[in-house]
Amino acid sequence: GRGDVEFARCLRDVTKAVLRTARLPALQMSGAAAGHLWLAQVDAMLAFEKQLAPYLGALHVSQDPDAEVPESIASASVLGAITSEPDFFEAWMEAERNAAEARLQRAFSEYSEGARAAAARAGAAGPQRVSGEDEDEAPGWKKEFNPPRFAEVAAETLAAVVERSRHAPSAADQRTFLEGVAGPLLDLVEAQLTDTVCQASVFDGVSPEVWAPRLASCVTAARYLHHQLSELLAGSALHRIRSEAQRQQQQQPQAEPASQQQTQQEEALNASASGTAAPPSGMVSGVASAGPSSVSGLYINGNILSTTASGTQSPLRRVASGSPGPNGKLNNYGQTQASPLKFVSPTKTLGEVVVKHSFAPLVLDPPVLAAHAATLGALHRDWCLRIARELALGFGKGAVAYRRAVEHAAAYPTHTGPAESVTPALVPALAFLQVGFEALSPVLDAPSFRDIWRAVSVPVNRFMFNYVATEAKFTTAGAAQFMVDVAGLVSVFSPYTARPAAHFRETLAACRLLTLTDDEAGEVVRRTSSLAVLARSQAGGPAAATAAAAAAFKKEPLLLQLGVSCLTPQQIVAVIERRL
């Protein structure tokens, strides 16, 4: 009855008074040593509110132990005795923060000790990841998420903090609690991840078997935590903060359109990529901001250029940087216009591939902890790009001898080894990619690994087309050997996709052109030339006529049958001209 409600309210007020004047000051005077007592005190206050709720009209709370206390009752809870006094509030948050940080530190320590033990067992010079998973389970690259144990602990800890925050009497108190407890926890996680990837990223002269496992663990951890944090920010626990933010927006005379807000958030994400998650000094500056707006290809900044041990620039570095090739032409990653005969890439740049597919979009206008979510997303994106870049450039270093052999030979080189075997000079480059993928695939999750190998295939495909298919001269035997070499390259990617050839369309099309009979090659040139003349005649005319000419080329039956319609007429002629 009404008397019960009044009695319950009076009891609550008296309890608050006792807490403010006696209990809480005593806890504060105990200092940092009383942290566990603060936690126990808050637990007791929340239990008191649950027992009191039925007398205040929330009868369902007594029937369901897991039921939430209604917001109308919680807003006047005894927890206000803490949140209304800044000193008490800070002491409580410090206790929560210290307990959570201790749990995270234990998880990081266990992970590090396990990694060192695994490295010792493997006899490796660098750290190895300890997944803690059954060996019979599916490898990481087949899983949507594959977080190491410390990432799972971090996600559980954050979820507990968010759940704890919902008991705060007001939205402002909840926001303060999250920023004071969850914020520092995320700072700790981000610092640990960044330190670990920087320590693990010793690439020069080091096999991927050494750096890949631990580095990949941090990449998967960043993606997993980004996802979990985004889910928490969109969950029901923060509904009061979101409602408050919406009310504030409605009170503004001129609210920004949602599209403009989203654009600003994307800019903030890119800015975060160049800040907290940026690589250490001495690393590639282009990695830190790798979104579509800042990268026009695979790391074209001048400061990424370096030489191999022999002082010769890696062919892949030429492709990556846009520096002149042996014939003096700039490839299409450079800032100078590319030769029209050169391969203009598949539609996506490396940065776009990783950004677009690796993780779920950030919650639109998250009400709190938005910068931390952006930082985790940027860290994951940047180091996916970093791994892809190292694999691509490692392929380039391994292909230096192969490139020289092709460049200095009168015709594409053949060898006297076993039939249908790859050119020996190309084997180190293919082996590097194979070892790298085998080291990464058990540790990375499916989206991250998929985007990394796809990103690697872009410059490798471009290198094989630009610097081999359109530069070397091919006898019949040389063309057959080039087909074998490209098939070997494709086979490196085949364990991870049902259609590996789709990522090397241009190079495979060049192989088909080079292995045609003379009559077939002549017919291809005749049809291509006629279609090219038609296209030139329509150039500058109505857009519809130009588009029709381009469509006619793409649908030409012979070119479709041969699988070379992905090339332009100029590229087709350029490849066929390399036949001897």
Side-chain angles (χ1 to χ4, degrees):
R2 182 173 180 81
D4 292 338
V5 173
E6 291 300 327
F7 175 77
R9 288 175 178 171
C10 290
L11 181 60
R12 174 190 268 172
D13 292 339
V14 170
T15 303
K16 283 184 182 179
V18 172
L19 289 169
R20 287 195 188 100
T21 58
R23 182 62 178 169
L24 299 180
L27 288 178
Q28 190 175 26
M29 290 178 63
S30 300
H36 65 288
L37 297 177
W38 276 101
L39 302 182
Q41 180 64 64
V42 171
D43 289 338
M45 295 165 74
L46 295 178
F48 172 79
E49 283 295 327
K50 277 226 166 186
Q51 294 174 350
L52 198 64
Y55 298 98
L56 294 171
L59 298 177
H60 67 284
V61 175
S62 61
Q63 299 170 357
D64 182 5
D66 297 327
E68 293 185 22
V69 176
E71 185 176 343
S72 59
I73 298 176
S75 61
S77 74
V78 293
L79 205 59
I82 294 179
T83 59
S84 61
E85 295 291 337
D87 292 342
F88 296 160
F89 201 178
E90 179 55 39
W92 172 38
M93 289 192 294
E94 182 180 2
E96 296 279 0
R97 188 166 56 242
N98 291 341
E101 287 180 355
R103 186 183 180 195
L104 287 182
Q105 292 289 8
R106 286 195 299 271
F108 278 120
S109 298
E110 291 172 1
Y111 166 76
S112 298
E113 291 172 4
R116 285 193 294 269
R121 288 194 301 270
Q128 302 291 320
R129 177 183 185 265
V130 179
S131 65
E133 297 170 348
D134 191 334
E135 293 181 357
D136 295 333
E137 285 191 7
W141 68 273
K142 293 185 177 181
K143 301 176 182 178
E144 179 65 22
F145 294 101
N146 188 34
R149 178 56 187 159
F150 75 80
E152 294 178 332
V153 171
E156 292 166 2
T157 304
L158 285 171
V161 170
V162 171
E163 180 62 25
R164 190 81 151 174
S165 74
R166 70 192 309 160
H167 299 295
S170 68
D173 292 337
Q174 184 180 20
R175 182 187 293 273
T176 301
F177 182 85
L178 288 173
E179 291 174 347
V181 180
L185 289 181
L186 287 166
D187 286 336
L188 175 62
V189 170
E190 293 157 10
Q192 291 281 8
L193 289 176
T194 302
D195 290 345
T196 303
V197 295
C198 291
Q199 293 168 9
S201 58
V202 181
F203 299 117
D204 292 339
V206 179
S207 169
E209 293 173 300
V210 175
W211 55 258
R214 197 171 186 188
L215 180 56
S217 287
C218 292
V219 168
T220 58
R223 177 176 176 269
Y224 177 74
L225 289 170
H226 175 276
H227 173 81
Q228 294 297 322
L229 181 58
S230 297
E231 291 286 313
L232 290 172
L233 295 179
S236 60
L238 272 66
H239 72 93
R240 289 184 297 172
I241 296 179
R242 284 195 297 272
S243 298
E244 181 186 54
Q246 292 174 357
R247 285 195 298 270
Q248 292 176 352
Q249 289 179 352
Q250 292 172 356
Q251 292 172 0
Q252 293 177 357
Q254 293 182 347
E256 295 176 333
S259 60
Q260 185 176 349
Q261 292 177 9
Q262 187 171 8
T263 301
Q264 291 175 349
Q265 290 162 18
E266 292 172 354
E267 292 173 354
L269 182 62
N270 289 331
S272 176
S274 61
T276 307
S281 61
M283 294 188 179
V284 180
S285 63
V287 177
S289 181
S293 62
S294 60
V295 174
S296 60
L298 177 57
Y299 302 101
I300 62 174
N301 293 336
N303 64 343
I304 72 168
L305 296 178
S306 65
T307 58
T308 61
S310 62
T312 303
Q313 192 179 68
S314 162
L316 247 294
R317 289 189 183 273
R318 291 200 201 106
V319 174
S321 66
S323 58
N327 58 3
K329 298 176 182 177
L330 282 176
N331 65 76
N332 61 297
Y333 270 138
Q335 298 186 12
T336 303
Q337 185 176 1
S339 165
L341 300 184
K342 289 302 180 183
F343 161 45
V344 178
S345 93
T347 56
K348 300 296 182 185
T349 67
L350 187 150
E352 289 174 306
V353 169
V354 175
V355 171
K356 185 162 184 165
H357 301 112
S358 283
F359 50 81
L362 185 64
V363 177
L364 183 62
D365 196 19
V368 67
L369 305 178
H372 293 286
T375 297
L376 288 169
L379 189 149
H380 169 264
R381 180 188 64 186
D382 294 342
W383 285 97
C384 280
L385 290 168
R386 176 72 168 171
I387 292 172
R389 172 185 175 275
E390 290 304 324
L391 292 176
L393 295 181
F395 175 90
K397 291 178 180 179
V400 168
Y402 169 73
R403 178 72 181 95
R404 285 177 177 169
V406 172
E407 193 174 58
H408 297 149
Y412 190 84
T414 57
H415 61 90
T416 57
E420 301 294 319
S421 61
V422 174
T423 299
L426 184 59
V427 169
L430 301 187
F432 179 87
L433 285 184
Q434 186 172 17
V435 168
F437 289 158
E438 289 176 351
L440 290 166
S441 59
V443 191
L444 286 171
D445 52 54
S448 302
F449 183 65
R450 181 174 60 246
D451 289 343
I452 286 173
W453 70 253
R454 283 179 176 177
V456 172
S457 71
V458 172
V460 171
N461 181 31
R462 180 175 289 107
F463 165 70
M464 295 298 287
F465 186 92
N466 280 3
Y467 289 94
V468 183
T470 60
E471 293 289 340
K473 294 184 181 296
F474 294 88
T475 62
T476 301
Q481 182 59 49
F482 183 55
M483 177 70 86
V484 171
D485 293 342
V486 173
L489 171 62
V490 173
S491 70
V492 173
F493 294 79
S494 61
Y496 312 108
T497 175
R499 300 177 60 246
H503 302 275
F504 297 92
R505 293 188 309 155
E506 292 76 12
T507 301
L508 288 170
C511 290
R512 298 185 191 101
L513 292 173
L514 293 170
T515 53
L516 294 175
T517 65
D518 291 340
D519 290 342
E520 290 172 333
E523 180 63 16
V524 168
V525 170
R526 186 186 68 78
R527 297 196 187 191
T528 299
S529 299
S530 63
L531 289 170
V533 169
L534 174 62
R536 283 196 297 270
S537 68
Q538 301 293 343
T546 304
F553 174 79
K554 294 294 183 183
K555 295 179 181 179
E556 210 290 325
L558 178 60
L559 301 183
L560 286 174
Q561 179 183 352
L562 295 175
V564 299
S565 60
C566 59
L567 302 178
T568 66
Q570 295 92 335
Q571 290 168 345
I572 289 175
V573 173
V575 171
I576 291 179
E577 285 179 346
R578 309 314 296 173
R579 295 161 53 98
L580 293 176

